[in-house]
Amino acid sequence: MDTSTKPKTASRPRTTRKPANATTGAVADQVDQPATKAKVPPRAKRARADSASSAVKAMVDAAKPDIEVPAWVALTESAKPFWVGVVRARARDEWQDVDLVVAAQLAQCQADIAEEDAALRLEGKVIKNDRGTPVMNPRTTVLEQLARREMALMRTLRMGGRIAGDQRDDLGKRKLEVDARKARKQVEEEDDGLLA
């Protein structure tokens, strides 16, 4: 039989028989429906950094206290000042929970760098070993490793240096929030002067 001359027919859903219902004994027909794609909701539009709504949001965010260290992250007291610097490097609405963990790691790394650097300055870059031979201080190697870790964490957070893609909008939001913090500080200083 030659299949090339066979007329093409429109495909239609197949009907299959379901097994009998245990309680009624009835047999039901089931129609196989073609699979449809799930609809993905459209992305919400982000406000431009130079818009009025972004300026208002930056002022509101600047008035809020700094983002706290998440409860599930351990951070030493020496790293807390670095934490504040790290979270202020981005606009508040850019931070996700997973980013805060990396931010805490970065703050701790920066605190470790400061501690190791202070110790290295006291001990010197060259020390004497047990035999009295001058050798490089091992803290130098530790500092280099910490510096590489710091750069890796900064890349993960997309901080420091330029990144691929258009980041002008993010930079604009960051600048707005920094400017709003400065304005808040000025207002607080003026208020203190009036109350004195």
Side-chain angles (χ1 to χ4, degrees), residues 59-69 83-84 87-88 92 95 177 181 184 188:
M59 289 298 279
V60 168
D61 286 346
K64 293 179 182 176
D66 289 322
I67 297 172
E68 293 292 323
V69 179
W83 167 263
V84 172
V87 295
R88 284 186 177 180
R92 181 180 279 273
W95 289 105
E177 195 163 321
R181 281 190 211 287
R184 174 184 166 200
E188 287 173 351

Side-chain angles (χ1 to χ4, degrees), residues 38-51:
K39 290 187 179 181
V40 177
R43 283 183 161 186
K45 270 193 157 183
R46 290 175 36 174
R48 290 177 43 108
D50 59 352
S51 69

